[in-house]
Amino acid sequence: MKQATLVRNQAEEVKALQDTIYVIGGKWKLPIINSICNGNKRFREIERSIPGITTRMLSRELKEMEMNKLIKRTVYPDSPVLVEYESTPYCKTFGNIILAMIEWGKEHKKYIQEN
Amino acid sequence: MKQATLVRNQAEEVKALQDTIYVIGGKWKLPIINSICNGNKRFREIERSIPGITTRMLSRELKEMEMNKLIKRTVYPDSPVLVEYESTPYCKTFGNIILAMIEWGKEHKKYIQEN
DNA sequence: GTAGTTGGTATACTCTGTGATACTGATTAC
DNA sequence: GTAATCAGTATCACAGAGTATACCAACTAC
């Protein structure tokens, strides 16, 4: 009985984990979410805040994330045109994951430097 | 002054985030770590516990993770030969990330089902 | 004797995420 | 008049992550 419950939970959890990886997988989604949640709004501003990203990648990911309601894109058609990206509440649900990963990265760096 | 500190921390955090993504990126590393941390020891056992993974992928990732000291591989040369994988303390440092991701996956599923 | 398990390796292939480079039209700045 | 910024788009190309399938030798179970 106990065994059955255990196995079942494990299966459920692997699937949950795989779902999450599917959604935020890849090199750029989390850094972009992080950047926008940190208050970066403009395209070039976000671009500059993420080392190594190319215009193309940022453009593609932003589009996809807008479609998936992770971010909101607003155009102010004054002259010159102004575009702003904002995080949605849904986007903020990744907060814990991002924090945990930043934490790990920092610890890892310490660890590397000590050896 | 405050601005400078803020910007600097942001830059540091993006890099930490990117480092982490570099280490655990890809489709399989976290599910494998999770499986082993859950007590799965044998090759086929781990394989069965991760939906969709192929023998080849598991084999490749396990090798890499052994090289990076994430797991320990032990061979018991009795007949028949027995191989066991174990997580190292280092491997367990991913615990928080994995938990956060499982949590998100579960919430996401609920959310999807309600809509 | 036949089917199944274990711990993998071998080969061949696909595909797509990612990178590099260049360019646009509008505007501002010197 | 030249350079820079803004918000991107357009092409081209590639490595390598991931898939599919078959196979191995040793052993167990029926």
Side-chain angles (χ1 to χ4, degrees):
Chain A
M1 199 69 113
K2 205 179 168 188
Q3 182 63 12
T5 326
L6 203 97
V7 169
R8 183 144 175 218
N9 286 352
Q10 267 193 40
E12 229 181 278
E13 294 191 346
V14 196
K15 277 172 199 162
L17 183 53
Q18 288 183 308
D19 285 349
T20 306
I21 291 172
Y22 180 78
V23 176
I24 57 174
K27 211 171 163 180
W28 302 116
K29 285 201 188 60
L30 285 182
I32 293 172
I33 291 173
N34 182 240
S35 174
I36 296 180
C37 285
N38 270 338
N40 295 308
K41 291 174 182 303
R42 316 287 301 277
F43 188 90
R44 296 292 181 200
E45 196 179 13
I46 299 167
E47 190 178 19
R48 266 181 261 117
S49 76
I50 303 170
I53 198 167
T54 58
T55 316
R56 182 178 188 255
M57 274 296 112
L58 180 56
S59 170
R60 275 181 53 156
E61 300 281 28
L62 283 174
K63 250 180 222 162
E64 201 187 317
M65 290 165 63
E66 196 199 348
M67 274 176 39
N68 298 337
K69 308 283 182 194
L70 283 174
I71 54 174
K72 205 181 128 206
R73 179 177 181 272
T74 317
V75 183
Y76 300 96
D78 310 307
S79 165
V81 175
L82 179 69
V83 181
E84 277 192 3
Y85 294 92
E86 283 167 277
S87 57
T88 63
Y90 182 47
C91 183
K92 285 164 189 148
T93 60
F94 296 101
N96 285 338
I97 297 176
I98 292 178
L99 284 180
M101 291 180 74
I102 290 176
E103 191 55 31
W104 190 92
K106 284 182 180 172
E107 289 300 322
H108 182 246
K109 194 179 172 186
K110 262 195 227 161
Y111 177 77
I112 293 291
Q113 284 173 342
E114 282 163 12
N115 297 281
Chain B
M1 200 71 114
K2 205 179 170 191
Q3 181 63 11
T5 327
L6 202 97
V7 169
R8 182 145 175 219
N9 285 353
Q10 267 193 36
E12 227 182 279
E13 295 192 345
V14 195
K15 278 172 197 161
L17 182 54
Q18 288 183 307
D19 286 350
T20 306
I21 291 172
Y22 180 79
V23 176
I24 57 175
K27 212 170 163 179
W28 303 116
K29 285 201 186 63
L30 285 182
I32 293 172
I33 291 173
N34 182 240
S35 173
I36 297 181
C37 286
N38 271 339
N40 295 307
K41 292 175 183 304
R42 316 287 302 275
F43 189 90
R44 296 294 181 199
E45 196 179 12
I46 299 166
E47 189 178 19
R48 266 181 262 116
S49 77
I50 303 172
I53 199 167
T54 58
T55 316
R56 184 178 187 255
M57 274 294 111
L58 180 56
S59 171
R60 275 179 48 160
E61 300 281 24
L62 283 176
K63 249 179 224 161
E64 202 188 315
M65 289 164 64
E66 197 200 347
M67 274 176 38
N68 298 337
K69 309 282 182 194
L70 284 173
I71 54 173
K72 204 183 129 206
R73 180 177 182 271
T74 317
V75 183
Y76 300 95
D78 309 307
S79 166
V81 175
L82 179 68
V83 181
E84 276 191 6
Y85 294 92
E86 283 168 277
S87 57
T88 62
Y90 183 47
C91 182
K92 283 162 191 152
T93 60
F94 296 100
N96 285 337
I97 297 177
I98 293 178
L99 284 181
M101 290 180 75
I102 289 176
E103 191 53 31
W104 191 91
K106 284 182 179 171
E107 288 300 322
H108 182 245
K109 193 179 173 187
K110 260 196 228 163
Y111 176 77
I112 293 291
Q113 283 172 342
E114 283 164 11
N115 298 280

